[in-house]
Amino acid sequence: MANAETKKANVLLLGGGAVGTIAALNIEAGGFGAVTAVLRSNFKVVQEEGYVIESVDHGKLKGWRPTRVVNSVPNVVKESLPPFDYIVTTTKNLPDIPPSLTSLIAPAVSPGHTIIVMIQNGLNIEKPMFVEFPANIVLSGVSMIDAHEGRLGEILHEEHDTLFLGAFHNPTINDKELEIAEAKKFIEIYNKAGKSTVHFSEDVAFARWRKLVFNAVLNPLCAVLGLDDARIRLAGSAIEGLVRPAMREIVATARKLGHDLPDEIMDTMIHCDPMDLYLKPSMQCDLEKGNYMEYEYLVGEPLREAEKIGVPTPTLKVIYEICKALQWRIMEERGVVVVPPKRVL
């Protein structure tokens, strides 16, 4: 692993949308890392003009770019590139939509060297990484940022960048002290500019279940109802009839698994965003753009964990099935699934 005090860490970023851009900006601003960003839809705009960023932490920036932008994941062996010290993943994690995240980053992973930093939502996201890259450390990032990309390359960052970062425990490596040390080293790199707040997360599972109280409930419900997280609070009985029952199911599951979420967590998550900002959670933004929703790790995995331990989750089950049907609709719109032709009378 590169020593941040003697040279910049070589960082690959997969996901150049809003969250990834602010992550890259923090790493570059601190001077401890040089970022190669893998971009897709916004590659041409960013390559030619740079990002336009309006950030609560960094102010207004026009024409900003990380050290390098590319439109595909580099193959370090075939291209004879120096190994990446870190691969930071901030893309939507869609196990139901190929290609898999592990297959996307595989060409850039150097076994036993590259540290994979998953700043992504959901539960059990690390398991495919452990299978595919058993010799690599995998870190967990739970982000509480609010940032969105409007037009391509235009980033609006409205809430302070707060990140809870810790280490997933890879059973093959079986060295918790090393994993924790590497997590703290990455925190130093990310936090050096002083623009973000990064907390070391001793218990990454607790941090993930805590955020699921929002992400497994308000995130999908705002999407399927077409209501931002202020309007859903104004919409009659939506909170008491839909949101709280589903949140209780998440809390009950977490507690039975040994993660003692506090009683006030539901109110904290319901009111985490100011009413007068009318913020749209990520799934709502994706659905409105016709993009796939990352419901499997956010809703499906908590649901499956609840089923394993016998916690009833009737509300969560309905949310999951609605998301699954909406995902199928998007797949049809994109030609991924084909329906039989309509009968002509």
Side-chain angles (χ1 to χ4, degrees):
M1 193 2 276
N3 187 331
E5 294 180 358
T6 58
K7 67 174 184 177
K8 291 184 179 182
N10 188 19
V11 181
L12 182 71
L13 172 73
L14 184 69
V19 174
T21 301
I22 299 302
L25 184 53
N26 275 311
I27 292 168
E28 294 269 4
F32 276 12
V35 178
T36 296
V38 182
L39 309 183
R40 292 179 292 182
S41 59
N42 59 4
F43 170 72
K44 190 173 186 295
V45 171
V46 175
Q47 183 187 45
E48 294 177 356
E49 303 173 19
Y51 283 103
V52 175
I53 301 171
E54 187 172 338
S55 167
V56 67
D57 295 335
H58 298 270
K60 294 183 179 181
L61 301 171
K62 186 174 182 179
W64 182 85
R65 297 181 189 84
T67 297
R68 186 178 176 218
V69 295
V70 296
N71 61 1
S72 63
V73 174
N75 188 311
V76 293
V77 174
K78 290 183 178 178
E79 298 175 45
S80 299
L81 298 173
F84 288 104
D85 302 313
Y86 299 95
I87 295 177
V88 179
T89 60
T90 61
T91 57
K92 302 297 179 187
N93 206 340
L94 306 166
D96 53 326
I97 307 295
S100 67
L101 181 59
T102 54
S103 67
L104 283 172
I105 68 170
V109 176
S110 297
H113 178 88
T114 305
I115 294 171
I116 301 164
V117 187
M118 304 186 76
I119 306 179
Q120 292 170 297
N121 292 320
L123 193 66
N124 297 332
I125 63 172
E126 76 281 8
K127 291 184 176 181
M129 293 293 172
F130 290 162
V131 172
E132 191 69 25
F133 312 113
N136 293 77
I137 290 173
V138 182
L139 304 182
S140 165
V142 175
S143 175
M144 305 305 291
I145 195 174
D146 184 79
H148 301 286
E149 184 174 28
R151 289 186 293 183
L152 294 178
E154 295 188 4
I155 306 298
L156 178 61
H157 171 208
E158 297 181 286
E159 291 273 319
H160 177 63
D161 184 11
T162 302
L163 181 66
F164 294 85
L165 196 126
F168 289 117
H169 296 308
N170 186 333
T172 304
I173 294 175
N174 196 27
D175 189 340
K176 291 185 178 181
E177 288 187 5
L178 175 63
E179 291 169 323
I180 289 170
E182 292 296 355
K184 290 181 177 179
K185 191 177 293 185
F186 183 77
I187 288 173
E188 183 183 7
I189 293 169
Y190 194 99
N191 221 22
K192 178 63 178 174
K195 301 290 187 178
S196 58
T197 302
V198 187
H199 303 281
F200 173 67
S201 183
E202 189 78 45
D203 186 346
V204 298
F206 179 90
R208 288 189 170 274
W209 276 103
R210 181 183 184 277
K211 192 173 181 183
L212 282 170
V213 177
F214 182 96
N215 262 338
V217 181
L218 274 169
N219 202 340
L221 281 175
C222 287
V224 302
L225 296 173
L227 298 171
D228 57 54
D229 71 358
R231 286 181 171 86
I232 198 169
R233 284 177 266 176
L234 299 172
S237 60
I239 294 295
E240 298 305 321
L242 288 171
V243 174
R244 285 192 189 276
M247 284 186 169
R248 289 189 195 103
E249 294 167 13
I250 291 292
V251 171
T253 303
R255 286 176 173 174
K256 193 163 183 180
L257 288 169
H259 311 297
D260 192 20
L261 297 178
D263 292 335
E264 64 271 14
I265 189 63
M266 291 187 290
D267 282 329
T268 299
M269 291 302 178
I270 289 168
H271 301 291
C272 66
D273 291 327
M275 285 284 291
D276 57 0
L277 289 182
Y278 297 93
L279 298 175
K280 294 181 180 181
S282 60
M283 279 195 197
Q284 185 178 2
C285 294
D286 287 331
L287 192 62
E288 289 179 356
K289 292 178 181 178
N291 294 335
Y292 293 121
M293 299 186 298
E294 55 175 346
Y295 72 98
E296 281 292 357
Y297 283 128
L298 272 65
V299 187
E301 282 298 306
L303 177 63
R304 287 184 279 272
E305 291 296 320
E307 290 172 346
K308 288 178 190 175
I309 59 176
V311 176
T313 51
T315 314
L316 202 63
K317 177 68 172 174
V318 171
I319 294 171
Y320 174 76
E321 294 298 340
I322 292 173
C323 288
K324 192 173 181 179
L326 286 171
Q327 192 87 315
W328 185 92
R329 188 188 75 187
I330 297 167
M331 292 170 73
E332 183 193 5
E333 290 170 352
R334 294 189 170 201
V336 176
V337 296
V338 180
V339 300
K342 181 178 179 180
R343 180 167 59 92
V344 178
L345 298 175

